[in-house]
Amino acid sequence: MFTFFCTSFCCPGISCCAIFRKNDDIHLHMCPFGNFSCVRLELQRDGFCQNPFFECLVAEIPEELKSKEGFTVVGYALYFYTYSTWKGRSLYLEDLYVMPEFRGNGIGKGLLCKVAEVFKQCVRLQLSVLNWNTPSRDFYAAKGGQDLTVSEGWHFVRFDGQNLDNLANDAPKI
Amino acid sequence: MANVILRTAEPKDVPDILRLIKELAKFEEMEEKVMLTEKDLLEDGFGDHPFYHCLVSEVPKEQSSEGYSVIGFAMYYFTYDPWIGKLLYLEDFYVMQEFRGLGIGSQILKALSETAVKTRCSGMHFIVAENNKESIEFYKRRGAADLSSREGWRLFEIGKEGLHICKRKD
């Protein structure tokens, strides 16, 4: 087993490149549902402004263990704060990813544990997983994750595109 | 009903917001699960870095049988999808029973949609219980997509006790 450390973004440019590259991997992996229009500049702007919309941890390995393409940032966890009207401050884990060649070494668990340290002030940690992604479902279930779609019937619903615009165009003046 | 005002919540609305949160929880038969206090709501919604934003619907006091003027609310915050950017997430949305069927819910949804568009969000999303047929129909009539049914997304939650594995040494 090799060691790694998680650090929050200290080099936004480099780390954003890493996230961008990882997202490209994820996009290719999940192609049927991808709608990949967020580019590096947006990630940089939205993650490093005065009130960032997300926070991110990266897993970095020593230079001598770098990937075959030469990367030392080999995984990341992207999360943001949400709010429960019952209990208050909460955390949502949006993305957790480790490059395939570095899996099975505890990096994913390490990233999740680092997020758990942030979670101390929060009352719940939520995330979403696709039906067919059995390895991820098993990974989170092994760490105490409950599938609320199955147990309580919660469904994700979204308004976007023209439907969102139609609603917005009819909004009352506030 | 001519006199419904929809506006951004202010600190003075916190007692009414908590009252409506408890009313909604009671409707879901979960009232005892509401742990938030007025102090929490004030600190978390109206401090330097708010964790949530809120709209409230207001009517003249004399129009409400129980004397309340704030008769509905919607709580939302901004989330992030690294593929498409910022999103507006609708956490809770409630109108008191006696004021339903008057278009107040629709007005709230439209106002939130406008906020989403103005703040360059790629979409507005939320969760609905699959047995809440009335809400599902309300949203579907307005063009909402059920991503759990259509794309297979499942909501997972890990509680504090679940992450105890991180305290074990490997």
Side-chain angles (χ1 to χ4, degrees):
Chain A
M1 175 177 298
F2 53 85
T3 57
F4 70 97
F5 63 93
C6 288
T7 178
S8 53
F9 280 67
C10 55
C11 293
I14 293 169
S15 300
C16 269
C17 283
I19 302 298
F20 185 79
R21 174 171 54 80
K22 300 299 180 303
N23 282 335
D24 207 24
D25 289 345
I26 295 182
H27 170 66
L28 290 172
H29 182 52
M30 294 166 59
C31 207
F33 305 123
N35 180 19
F36 188 42
S37 59
C38 196
V39 296
R40 182 193 312 172
L41 288 176
E42 284 169 323
L43 281 173
Q44 230 163 337
R45 177 195 62 200
D46 295 339
F48 299 91
C49 53
Q50 197 172 359
N51 293 309
F53 290 97
F54 65 87
E55 292 182 5
C56 198
L57 298 170
V58 296
E60 196 166 14
I61 54 171
E63 180 72 26
E64 57 269 24
L65 295 173
K66 64 187 177 201
S67 76
K68 42 186 189 291
E69 305 101 328
F71 300 125
T72 55
V73 174
V74 299
Y76 77 103
L78 190 148
Y79 60 91
F80 41 78
Y81 293 94
T82 60
Y83 203 75
S84 156
T85 45
W86 291 356
K87 297 179 187 174
R89 301 178 190 191
S90 308
L91 212 57
Y92 189 90
L93 178 59
E94 173 66 28
D95 270 357
L96 176 62
Y97 178 77
V98 177
M99 288 173 67
E101 73 185 270
F102 295 96
R103 290 181 197 163
N105 291 300
I107 297 178
K109 182 182 166 187
L111 281 164
L112 186 61
C113 289
K114 277 290 177 184
V115 172
E117 282 182 17
V118 174
F119 175 48
K120 277 185 190 144
Q121 286 82 44
C122 298
V123 294
R124 74 181 181 200
L125 172 63
Q126 290 185 325
L127 50 110
S128 52
V129 185
L130 282 163
N131 265 342
W132 53 258
N133 194 346
T134 314
S136 289
R137 281 165 51 197
D138 291 345
F139 173 82
Y140 293 116
K143 279 126 191 95
Q146 287 186 285
D147 184 335
L148 297 186
T149 296
V150 164
S151 64
E152 296 181 15
W154 290 105
H155 282 221
F156 285 101
V157 178
R158 186 163 71 206
F159 282 101
D160 59 8
Q162 195 58 56
N163 293 311
L164 185 69
D165 287 341
N166 291 343
L167 283 171
N169 290 337
D170 215 14
K173 294 285 171 244
I174 294 184
Chain B
M1 171 165 298
N3 299 324
V4 181
I5 298 169
L6 184 58
R7 59 175 175 77
T8 303
E10 297 165 36
K12 68 180 175 116
D13 296 316
V14 158
D16 281 305
I17 295 169
L18 186 57
R19 171 179 58 82
L20 293 172
I21 286 171
K22 286 181 175 174
E23 227 175 85
L24 174 54
K26 195 173 175 181
F27 166 72
E28 293 171 346
E29 293 172 7
M30 305 267 195
E31 197 180 2
E32 73 289 350
K33 294 215 170 167
V34 178
M35 311 301 287
L36 275 185
T37 62
E38 288 181 12
K39 181 173 176 288
D40 294 326
L41 279 172
L42 202 60
E43 221 169 86
D44 295 340
F46 299 94
D48 289 334
H49 299 290
F51 283 82
Y52 71 85
H53 306 278
C54 204
L55 294 181
V56 293
S57 275
E58 194 170 26
V59 299
K61 268 202 164 76
E62 51 274 14
Q63 280 182 17
S64 162
S65 62
E66 292 165 67
Y68 296 121
S69 59
V70 174
I71 52 88
F73 85 104
M75 181 184 278
Y76 66 96
Y77 41 81
F78 296 100
T79 63
Y80 203 80
D81 181 329
W83 292 9
I84 55 173
K86 218 165 116 190
L87 294 163
L88 187 150
Y89 186 88
L90 176 54
E91 173 67 27
D92 257 352
F93 174 19
Y94 178 74
V95 175
M96 285 173 71
Q97 181 82 33
E98 70 182 278
F99 294 95
R100 293 196 199 147
L102 300 169
I104 297 175
S106 279
Q107 295 291 71
I108 292 175
L109 203 65
K110 288 172 188 173
L112 291 172
S113 301
E114 188 185 46
T115 299
V117 170
K118 279 186 174 165
T119 54
R120 51 167 187 83
C121 292
S122 297
M124 177 170 71
H125 61 146
F126 43 93
I127 55 172
V128 182
E130 66 188 2
N131 61 6
N132 191 346
K133 306 284 182 206
E134 210 177 311
S135 289
I136 290 173
E137 285 312 306
F138 174 86
Y139 296 125
K140 278 190 166 170
R141 272 199 300 274
R142 288 152 182 84
D146 180 339
L147 299 181
S148 291
S149 296
R150 195 171 78 179
E151 296 180 10
W153 287 102
R154 296 183 182 210
L155 175 65
F156 269 65
E157 186 167 306
I158 304 178
K160 285 194 177 300
E161 56 293 334
L163 285 169
H164 70 276
I165 53 104
C166 292
K167 293 184 191 148
R168 290 205 312 255
K169 287 185 183 169
D170 282 328

